[in-house]
Amino acid sequence: MIAEPTAEAPCRPSGQRNRKDRNSQDEAISSGAVNQSEDESGNENRQKNVRKRKRAHSSENDKSPSPRAGRSSAGRAGGSSSKRRHVEAVTLFEVVTMGRDAMQVVIDDWIEAYVADRDSSLLDLINFFIQSCGCKSVVTAEMCHNKEDSDVMSKMVEDLDEVACLQYKRFLAFPWILTVTWPIDTDSVEYPLIQSGPYGHWFHSGFCDFVSVLVAQCQQSVIFDGYLMNSLISLLAELSDSCIRAFRHTCALAAMKLLSALVGVALSLSVGIENNQKLYQLQKTKPVRQRSKPQLERIKNNTSELQMKRAEIENMMDTIFKGIFIKRYRDVLPEIRSICVEELGVWMKLYNSAFLSDTYLKYMGWMMYDKIPDVRLKCVLGLQALYGDPSLFPKLDLFSSRFKKRMISMTLDKDHEVAAQSLKLLVLIAKTSEDMLTPEDHSYLLQFVYSSQRLLASTAGELLYSTRLLNNTDALRSNSLDEINEEESHRLQTCGRVKALLHFYQESQLHEHVVYLVDSLWDCGGALLKDWTTLTSLLLQDATSHRAGLTLSEQTVLVEILVASVRQASEGPVLAGRSGAKKVISVKEKKIQVDDCTKITEHFLTELPKLLSKFSGHCDAVASLMKIPQFFVPDCPVDDITQVLSSLLTEIQAALDIHSSPAVLEAAARTYLYLCSKETTWSSIVRDKRDSVVQTWVDQLTVLLGESLREDCFSADEMKTGNISSTLKKLSAFHNCHDLQKWDLFQLLFPLLSVRGRRGEEDGAPPEVLLETLRCLCYSMLWSLNTSGETLTSRDKTVAQQQQLCLFCERSLHCLSHPDNRVRQQAFQGVCDVLSAHSYQLHVWTPTSFGPLVYTPSPKLQRALSNFVCTHVFAGSDCERQSKVIEHSELERLERLHTRRNLLAAFCKLIVHGVLEMSTAAEVYMHYMKFYNDFGDIIKETMCRTRQMDKIEGSRTLVLCLQQLFVQLKKEQEGSGPARAGVQTFTSIKELARRFSLTFGDKYRECLVMIHRTGIEFVFQGFSPSPETATPPYVSYLTILSEFSSRLLRPDKKAVFSYLQKQTADHVTDFREESWKPLLQYRASLLAAAKGEDAASNVSSDRKHNLPGRSAVSKQKQEGSKSPCGFSPADSRVNKSHRDHLSPSLQERTAEPLHPSVGRANLEGVIISSSEDQEDETVEVEL
């Protein structure tokens, strides 16, 4: 904060001196004398200790009442309360954060002091604004007698003293010439307005209130003296034009708030003028005898005086606007631009007679193009206040026509808050004026009801409700008002609005999910959507001669709207894919939710059977209606609950006898699960009904299979095959949600997997039967494993479960080669899910009880699963070309991608859960780069999980992946095998290695060393040089391995380099050959001084000598901790005497001519030095 001023005359304190000191200072100032030079006042470094002592000395004065307070308390009777004494003891700057009441008291005291001595009090106010800027500055003041003096104006500068590290600003706040001195690094310090925490918020609010209270308290007296406001405006104009951010921001805010306060004064004067004019007209209407000429003259004089004051206030406002606003509304600081735009909206709203014109509106329109979202938001909020007042709309015609296109385009703003508020602005415009927005504009804006942002969607829903639904009176016009009562009128009005909503949904054709439309309308049209009685009656009514009913498509949509409104009332506005909804509801909202659920239960327990009966033939409608019981309240008091519930369950069973679509079966299974899970009076009724339904299906299936399976051959005709498939679908859907183990479906259905076809084919039963059989058997195995802790009570049951698991995996392996793709995918998905569940049960099983036995998939099954992933998930270019013929739409492509992602995720779970060997993941990692957009997240998560299990083995899997890709590439290049389209290029393998290396940090030192050691052994192990093969066949793999060198720490680099030297000592014959270039590059990458440094820059023949006086301990600290690798760097380290012995021969080799194919950047000599640090020991090796 600002430092306390010194005791000399030029530096004014904040009202903390006694009266005697003030009089002496006034005399010094009026004479124009300055006792402290600018150098002395600015040199804080030389006077630091002096100011500290003076600050400590003046702390006692801080606690004593100020001169202003003394005069005010002496002039007022009864003003000696404890609170008043506390308030009077503070300065103007300290009172900012003390509240509005304390502020008024201190400002009243300041006004009294100003009346007595305006020069000194004005300097106190000036010092307040300087302190509010957060500047640790010294303010020096001198009197200026002539404002137009050319010598004075030439001294108004803002300069920098680099020697003293101070900056000076000298400006005129007539009649004062002020010199402010502050440190250069002011911009790097937080000033009060931008301080974090609650203090910054309190100060901002208190500072704005101070300016408002100051003007409000002065409006009856000193504001019109021609001295205070002129000096204050001059001060704010000069400081707001400073290059220092703190001055510019604080004083720009003060100036805008000052103008807003002056607007309030002008409004008060306008009200006074209007009242006097009314009083004058009232006196004029009186008879001549009753008129009082003195009173008329007095009213006229008062009116003239008020008009003069208002003109003076408007003059001040115009000065602030032209002198400060026009310069600052386009300031580089976005906070200043936001302040200007926000206050401009306030001025136009409050004082529209002066500010609501195109002269000022253009600034609002221009700032809507600002690149900062907060500035655009302030513009939109300001315009909302203007367009919300219908009386102001005529003045906005030109602005609306000019900037309408921009306002509409802002609904697509990247900032969601700006987009939502822009749409709210357009909704206000649509409500106020029917002609401004065209039908095309309405159609465009109504699309946002399907937006992913709930605030934007709700605003668009408000527009839809107000323009399309609320004004729909077609149903009422067709009926005479005398013929219908209030209840019928409400029903007809609701029906008309519902039909308008259905018409909008059908004509827009923008989305197929009604739940998002319902969520958009919930805030404004919740009463309409929760009128379930009217919606149900509209669905149940039939078309008559005098009343048109709904079409089948409209009924289907209305059923979806009905179900969506039930879900919204029960669960709230949280939807998948839509953000911005409240996740925590209040107590009041929770109570409303409970009441709505009770109403839903009471209404639909009786009405839902009727709806199911009417729409029993429509699959989509039945699937939607069956979801409603999932939102019932279990303990709802309903008369004759048994009979009502039995009627509902009977209709559900009747619908299940008709339909076998997955949507209907899933909805019915989930409804039964919800009704059975609650421990209520109806749960036993629902369980008995469910068991009866399942028993009926099992009996039907037993009879059908007995007739169709003869001598291990499936001999059913098409009708029986359809019945078997339909029954299997129902059992699978219910087995997914319910435990049906007591019917022993595994023994019943397993023969279907081992039978032959009707003509003796090996593929067995028809594909649709096999598909549902595999799915049902998978659910049976999952339930068996999930309840093994309860059901496995003996050794025999445990062995039987293991046998079932073996049989299931064996037959699933056979189905992996089935001609039908759906059967193959279901077999793969089922065996992966069962093996994952079995692995989980092994982890949670306690040895004190019976549990599942250990089962390990056969090698044949493991290879089949791996091959299935490679052929069905990582489809090559041929498969992609075939898919282009099959996939006719983007939706089909996404569905196919979703299926492939599920298959890959199921396979990766087997690796993560330890069912498959971790090395199996190498087949998956190979495709990381090629299929990064489709499966990158799954593969990356698999890497992370396997590394958490065993970081060494996980890293070894990455090495295996790279080595397999490299070997495939070598075989392809040598022509030893058939050409394959899936072989990756050397560049792609190198990029894959770089991506792998980025996943390693400092905590994986052992892994990185292992990767390098394994790579070196892969290249050189088993190699013996011969005239035909001078280099290892896999030497180019070292280029790929060099991608991991940058992740090594310095001691690990030395260790790896030593191991490399040990492995290559007997193999390298001529280092200058082109075939050894990968080795040279790999060596250079190990000797790089830092991560990311170019390896070629470290190839040098210069030798570094050890510095004298360097201890072994310091060397060890420089090199870091001991390498975590399994071999020691000292195994092949060349000692100093040996290097000295090799130096001559090395120098001779350096003089030999190099082979022209070897780049100069890679070979400037054959001595490769480590330049890690100037004091590091040099590693020199003769090749």
Side-chain angles (χ1 to χ4, degrees):
M1 306 303 293
I2 187 170
E4 292 294 336
T6 57
E8 286 80 4
C11 301
R12 292 297 306 163
S14 304
Q16 298 176 1
R17 295 188 182 91
N18 54 33
R19 182 66 177 170
K20 181 178 179 180
D21 293 339
R22 176 170 298 183
N23 293 336
S24 62
Q25 290 169 10
D26 292 343
E27 294 175 0
I29 293 175
S30 62
S31 62
V34 180
N35 297 328
Q36 181 180 359
S37 63
E38 292 180 357
D39 292 337
E40 292 175 348
S41 63
N43 194 349
E44 294 186 356
N45 294 327
R46 292 197 302 266
Q47 297 184 359
K48 185 176 181 180
N49 296 329
V50 176
R51 287 203 307 273
K52 284 185 178 179
R53 290 193 300 269
K54 292 180 179 178
R55 223 178 276 127
H57 177 70
S58 61
S59 61
E60 298 179 358
N61 295 332
D62 293 343
K63 300 178 182 179
S64 61
S66 64
R68 301 185 307 275
R71 286 192 298 270
S72 62
S73 59
R76 294 185 185 183
S80 58
S81 64
S82 59
K83 179 180 177 181
R84 179 61 178 269
R85 286 197 302 268
H86 174 70
V87 171
E88 290 173 350
V90 299
T91 62
L92 293 178
F93 180 75
E94 293 170 347
V95 81
V96 169
T97 57
M98 294 181 61
R100 199 177 183 93
D101 294 337
M103 203 177 295
Q104 289 180 351
V105 174
V106 173
I107 289 177
D108 288 341
D109 295 341
W110 180 87
I111 293 174
E112 293 181 6
Y114 177 84
V115 173
D117 187 357
R118 66 179 187 177
D119 292 338
S120 301
S121 300
L122 181 59
L123 287 180
D124 289 334
L125 184 62
I126 291 173
N127 196 29
F128 161 75
F129 284 104
I130 298 297
Q131 285 183 295
S132 299
C133 296
C135 181
K136 297 179 180 179
S137 60
V138 176
V139 183
T140 306
E142 57 183 295
M143 182 67 73
C144 174
H145 298 283
N146 188 1
K147 187 175 182 180
E148 304 299 331
D149 190 356
S150 59
D151 294 336
V152 172
M153 299 306 295
S154 63
K155 297 179 181 179
M156 304 297 107
V157 295
E158 185 169 344
D159 200 2
L160 175 66
D161 186 357
E162 296 183 357
V163 177
C165 295
L166 296 173
Q167 193 163 354
Y168 301 92
K169 182 175 181 63
R170 187 179 179 86
F171 59 94
L172 177 66
F174 190 80
W176 298 106
I177 300 176
L178 301 177
T179 303
V180 184
T181 309
W182 67 93
I184 293 178
D185 60 346
T186 301
D187 274 346
S188 63
V189 180
E190 282 192 351
Y191 49 96
L193 279 182
I194 63 170
Q195 278 189 358
S196 57
Y199 177 77
H201 176 72
W202 295 339
F203 181 84
H204 184 279
S205 177
F207 183 75
C208 298
D209 289 342
F210 179 88
V211 178
S212 302
V213 172
L214 177 64
V215 176
Q217 299 297 101
C218 296
Q219 64 177 337
Q220 301 296 336
S221 55
V222 297
I223 196 174
F224 300 104
D225 64 351
Y227 181 80
L228 172 63
M229 294 306 298
N230 291 342
S231 302
L232 186 57
I233 293 174
S234 177
L235 170 73
L236 297 179
E238 290 290 341
L239 290 180
S240 64
D241 200 26
S242 173
C243 63
I244 302 299
R245 170 179 174 172
F247 289 158
R248 204 168 64 252
H249 186 190
T250 306
C251 294
L253 174 62
M256 297 302 104
K257 291 298 180 180
L258 178 62
L259 202 155
S260 299
L262 291 176
V263 165
V265 176
L267 289 174
S268 301
L269 293 174
S270 299
V271 171
I273 292 172
E274 184 178 355
N275 292 336
N276 282 336
Q277 289 177 347
K278 291 180 180 180
L279 186 59
Y280 185 81
Q281 293 297 330
L282 180 62
Q283 291 291 334
K284 293 283 289 185
T285 56
K286 292 181 179 181
V288 179
R289 294 181 180 179
Q290 298 179 2
R291 292 180 187 174
S292 174
K293 290 185 178 181
Q295 187 175 3
L296 286 174
E297 189 66 24
R298 186 171 58 255
I299 294 174
K300 189 175 181 180
N301 293 336
N302 289 338
T303 303
S304 301
E305 183 182 356
L306 292 176
Q307 289 176 346
M308 290 177 60
K309 288 185 176 180
R310 185 176 64 177
E312 188 175 352
I313 293 294
E314 290 179 350
N315 214 5
M316 298 177 189
M317 293 190 295
D318 187 64
T319 303
I320 296 175
F321 186 86
K322 293 180 179 179
I324 300 177
F325 177 88
I326 292 181
K327 295 179 181 179
R328 299 276 69 83
Y329 85 95
R330 50 185 179 181
D331 193 279
V332 69
L333 195 64
E335 289 85 351
I336 297 179
R337 300 201 300 271
S338 297
I339 292 169
C340 294
V341 172
E342 183 179 11
E343 295 303 318
L344 178 60
V346 174
W347 306 335
M348 290 189 291
K349 171 65 177 176
L350 296 179
Y351 202 32
N352 52 77
S353 60
F355 285 98
L356 191 56
S357 63
D358 298 329
T359 305
Y360 299 95
L361 282 169
K362 64 182 179 182
Y363 299 106
M364 192 73 76
W366 292 343
M367 297 310 291
M368 286 195 295
Y369 293 89
D370 196 275
K371 63 181 180 180
I372 302 300
D374 186 64
V375 180
R376 300 194 299 270
L377 180 62
K378 292 298 191 298
C379 291
V380 174
L381 294 177
L383 291 173
Q384 286 180 9
L386 299 179
Y387 281 100
D389 190 352
S391 62
L392 303 180
F393 199 87
K395 297 183 179 181
L396 299 168
D397 289 339
L398 183 60
F399 176 83
S400 301
S401 60
R402 170 66 179 82
F403 292 100
K404 185 185 79 170
K405 185 176 180 180
R406 175 56 184 166
M407 287 188 285
I408 294 177
S409 66
M410 288 178 71
T411 55
L412 296 175
D413 197 281
K414 63 180 181 180
D415 187 84
H416 303 311
E417 181 68 18
V418 175
Q421 296 300 332
S422 300
L423 189 55
K424 283 187 177 181
L425 172 62
L426 293 169
V427 171
L428 287 174
I429 294 175
K431 291 180 179 179
T432 307
S433 174
E434 299 179 356
D435 302 330
M436 181 175 171
L437 296 179
T438 62
E440 291 78 11
D441 297 334
H442 279 279
S443 300
Y444 171 77
L445 296 177
L446 291 177
Q447 297 179 16
F448 290 102
V449 293
Y450 301 108
S451 172
S452 60
Q453 295 296 321
R454 191 177 188 277
L455 181 59
L456 189 63
S458 300
T459 308
E462 183 182 354
L463 178 64
L464 171 63
Y465 186 76
S466 61
T467 57
R468 297 287 186 92
L469 308 184
L470 198 60
N471 298 329
N472 190 283
T473 57
D474 296 339
L476 292 176
R477 292 174 183 172
S478 59
N479 296 273
S480 175
L481 295 178
D482 299 333
E483 299 176 358
I484 58 177
N485 54 19
E486 184 178 355
E487 182 178 354
E488 183 68 13
S489 173
H490 171 72
R491 194 189 69 82
L492 291 176
Q493 190 177 36
T494 302
C495 292
R497 292 174 180 175
V498 170
K499 290 182 178 180
L501 179 61
L502 297 175
H503 179 68
F504 164 77
Y505 178 80
Q506 291 179 336
E507 75 175 0
S508 60
Q509 298 180 353
L510 294 173
H511 215 275
E512 58 183 18
H513 296 294
V514 180
V515 290
Y516 294 97
L517 177 61
V518 171
D519 183 52
S520 302
L521 289 169
W522 193 256
D523 294 340
C524 56
L528 171 66
L529 296 173
K530 289 195 293 186
D531 191 357
W532 296 300
T533 303
T534 305
L535 296 179
T536 305
S537 63
L538 190 60
L539 284 172
L540 292 175
Q541 76 177 13
D542 296 326
T544 58
S545 58
H546 64 279
R547 181 180 298 174
L550 300 177
T551 62
L552 180 60
S553 60
E554 290 177 341
Q555 289 177 348
T556 305
V557 175
L558 184 56
V559 167
E560 294 182 10
I561 292 175
L562 177 67
V563 177
S565 65
V566 170
R567 187 214 67 81
Q568 188 90 1
S570 303
E571 297 181 352
V574 180
L575 288 176
R578 174 167 285 184
S579 59
K582 287 197 308 182
K583 297 183 179 180
V584 179
I585 61 176
S586 62
V587 177
K588 181 180 179 181
E589 292 172 339
K590 184 65 177 178
K591 185 178 182 303
I592 294 174
Q593 194 177 78
V594 173
D595 294 342
D596 290 339
C597 290
T598 304
K599 294 177 183 178
I600 290 170
T601 307
E602 294 174 351
H603 174 74
F604 285 101
L605 270 176
T606 57
E607 298 297 327
L608 186 57
K610 302 176 185 178
L611 293 173
L612 288 173
S613 176
K614 179 177 181 179
F615 295 99
S616 59
H618 306 291
C619 179
D620 296 337
V622 170
S624 299
L625 290 172
M626 280 190 180
K627 298 177 182 178
I628 294 179
Q630 301 174 20
F631 307 105
F632 285 175
V633 178
D635 53 353
C636 180
V638 179
D639 298 336
D640 199 3
I641 183 66
T642 304
Q643 182 178 357
V644 174
L645 191 60
S646 299
S647 175
L648 174 61
L649 296 177
T650 302
E651 292 296 335
I652 293 177
Q653 183 179 358
L656 290 175
D657 294 337
I658 300 174
H659 302 283
S660 61
S661 65
V664 174
L665 296 177
E666 181 183 358
R670 291 183 179 275
T671 297
Y672 272 107
L673 178 64
Y674 175 80
L675 297 178
C676 292
S677 60
K678 301 297 183 180
E679 295 298 334
T680 58
T681 55
W682 66 32
S683 59
S684 59
I685 302 174
V686 179
R687 289 195 193 100
D688 295 340
K689 196 69 174 178
R690 180 203 62 186
D691 294 345
S692 174
V693 171
V694 174
Q695 185 64 47
T696 303
W697 294 338
V698 172
D699 294 341
Q700 293 176 358
L701 186 61
T702 303
V703 174
L704 290 172
L705 291 180
E707 297 174 355
S708 303
L709 297 179
R710 296 177 181 177
E711 299 179 357
D712 295 335
C713 180
F714 188 84
S715 58
D717 55 10
E718 293 184 2
M719 180 177 293
K720 288 185 178 180
T721 302
N723 293 334
I724 293 174
S725 177
S726 175
T727 308
L728 284 173
K729 287 180 181 178
K730 296 174 184 178
L731 287 173
S732 298
F734 271 69
H735 210 348
N736 187 20
C737 300
H738 304 267
D739 184 9
L740 308 181
Q741 292 186 79
K742 63 181 180 180
W743 284 277
D744 199 6
L745 296 178
F746 189 91
Q747 297 296 334
L748 178 64
L749 301 178
F750 186 76
L752 286 172
L753 298 180
S754 57
V755 298
R756 300 191 306 273
R758 287 190 297 247
R759 300 192 181 100
E761 302 94 338
E762 294 183 359
D763 52 345
E768 58 272 14
V769 175
L770 274 179
L771 180 65
E772 297 303 328
T773 302
L774 286 170
R775 186 176 288 123
C776 194
L777 289 177
C778 175
Y779 295 147
S780 178
M781 289 302 308
L782 291 175
W783 276 106
S784 176
L785 292 170
N786 186 48
T787 59
S788 58
E790 303 172 359
T791 58
L792 299 182
T793 57
S794 64
R795 176 74 178 179
D796 296 336
K797 293 183 178 180
T798 304
V799 174
Q801 185 192 71
Q802 188 186 34
Q803 290 178 352
Q804 288 184 354
L805 180 61
C806 295
L807 290 174
F808 176 77
C809 293
E810 180 183 350
R811 298 315 301 171
S812 297
L813 173 62
H814 178 72
C815 293
L816 287 177
S817 58
H818 195 275
D820 191 88
N821 186 40
R822 297 174 301 165
V823 175
R824 295 196 301 268
Q825 291 181 358
Q826 179 57 43
F828 178 85
Q829 188 77 43
V831 73
C832 289
D833 291 344
V834 169
L835 290 176
S836 299
H838 179 263
S839 174
Y840 174 76
Q841 290 299 325
L842 290 177
H843 285 87
V844 300
W845 169 61
T846 58
T848 58
S849 61
F850 288 97
L853 296 178
V854 177
Y855 172 76
T856 303
S858 62
K860 185 178 180 180
L861 178 59
Q862 295 186 28
R863 288 194 300 270
L865 294 176
S866 180
N867 293 333
F868 183 89
V869 171
C870 294
T871 55
H872 289 76
V873 176
F874 301 110
S877 57
D878 295 336
C879 296
E880 291 176 358
R881 284 195 294 268
Q882 294 176 4
S883 64
K884 291 180 181 178
V885 181
I886 299 174
E887 297 170 358
H888 301 288
S889 65
E890 181 70 13
L891 181 60
E892 293 180 3
R893 187 191 70 82
L894 293 176
E895 288 292 338
R896 185 170 178 269
L897 176 61
H898 179 67
T899 303
R900 292 164 62 195
R901 285 176 59 86
N902 286 340
L903 296 175
L904 178 60
F907 181 76
C908 292
K909 286 179 183 178
L910 297 180
I911 301 173
V912 171
H913 293 159
V915 179
L916 300 179
E917 294 291 337
M918 197 176 295
S919 58
T920 313
E923 296 289 337
V924 177
Y925 297 161
M926 290 179 181
H927 308 279
Y928 181 65
M929 291 296 300
K930 185 176 181 181
F931 295 93
Y932 181 80
N933 293 332
D934 295 337
F935 314 116
D937 55 339
I938 300 176
I939 299 176
K940 190 181 296 184
E941 183 66 19
T942 305
M943 290 183 191
C944 180
R945 295 292 184 89
T946 53
R947 197 172 294 175
Q948 290 175 1
M949 295 167 55
D950 188 345
K951 59 183 180 180
I952 296 295
E953 190 62 29
S955 303
R956 202 182 302 276
T957 305
L958 299 181
V959 175
L960 178 61
C961 168
L962 296 174
Q963 291 176 358
Q964 289 179 355
L965 289 174
F966 182 78
V967 171
Q968 292 176 5
L969 178 62
K970 290 293 290 184
K971 290 181 179 180
E972 183 72 19
Q973 291 175 347
E974 295 171 357
S976 58
R980 294 187 301 169
V983 177
Q984 300 187 27
T985 62
F986 185 83
T987 305
S988 62
I989 300 175
K990 193 170 181 292
E991 177 63 21
L992 180 61
R994 189 187 70 82
R995 292 288 186 94
F996 287 165
S997 68
L998 295 177
T999 62
F1000 289 95
D1002 294 341
K1003 63 181 180 179
Y1004 296 104
R1005 293 180 62 186
E1006 299 90 343
C1007 303
L1008 289 168
V1009 173
M1010 182 273 302
I1011 290 174
H1012 283 273
R1013 181 171 183 173
T1014 307
I1016 294 171
E1017 293 174 352
F1018 173 72
V1019 174
F1020 293 101
Q1021 194 170 19
F1023 169 70
S1024 58
S1026 63
E1028 293 80 9
T1029 57
T1031 58
Y1034 298 155
V1035 69
S1036 55
Y1037 179 78
L1038 294 175
T1039 305
I1040 298 173
L1041 190 60
S1042 63
E1043 294 294 334
F1044 294 91
S1045 300
S1046 62
R1047 315 303 296 180
L1048 287 170
L1049 298 180
R1050 291 183 180 181
D1052 298 338
K1053 285 185 179 181
K1054 292 184 178 181
V1056 173
F1057 181 81
S1058 301
Y1059 185 74
L1060 177 65
Q1061 292 297 102
K1062 184 178 179 180
Q1063 293 292 325
T1064 60
D1066 300 331
H1067 301 319
V1068 180
T1069 57
D1070 190 358
F1071 194 74
R1072 295 172 295 178
E1073 294 182 1
E1074 179 69 20
S1075 56
W1076 289 108
K1077 188 175 180 180
L1079 175 59
L1080 177 65
Q1081 294 177 350
Y1082 179 56
R1083 290 162 56 92
S1085 67
L1086 292 176
L1087 294 174
K1091 295 180 181 180
E1093 183 178 349
D1094 187 7
S1097 64
N1098 297 284
V1099 181
S1100 174
S1101 60
D1102 297 334
R1103 176 176 177 178
K1104 294 186 296 181
H1105 301 281
N1106 293 331
L1107 296 177
R1110 177 139 180 244
S1111 64
V1113 178
S1114 62
K1115 290 183 181 180
Q1116 184 177 1
K1117 290 181 179 179
Q1118 283 287 340
E1119 293 175 359
S1121 61
K1122 185 178 179 181
S1123 174
C1125 56
F1127 53 90
S1128 174
D1131 293 343
S1132 59
R1133 181 177 298 173
V1134 183
N1135 55 30
K1136 182 176 180 181
S1137 61
H1138 183 58
R1139 290 197 304 271
D1140 295 339
H1141 174 71
L1142 293 177
S1143 296
S1145 62
L1146 291 174
Q1147 293 174 0
E1148 291 176 3
R1149 283 203 170 189
T1150 308
E1152 293 179 3
L1154 300 178
H1155 195 276
S1157 61
V1158 181
R1160 183 167 184 174
N1162 295 331
L1163 276 179
E1164 293 182 2
V1166 291
I1167 300 177
I1168 303 180
S1169 302
S1170 173
S1171 59
E1172 296 175 2
D1173 192 87
Q1174 293 181 357
E1175 299 181 356
D1176 283 348
E1177 183 177 356
T1178 305
V1179 180
E1180 298 178 353
V1181 179
E1182 180 183 6
L1183 299 179

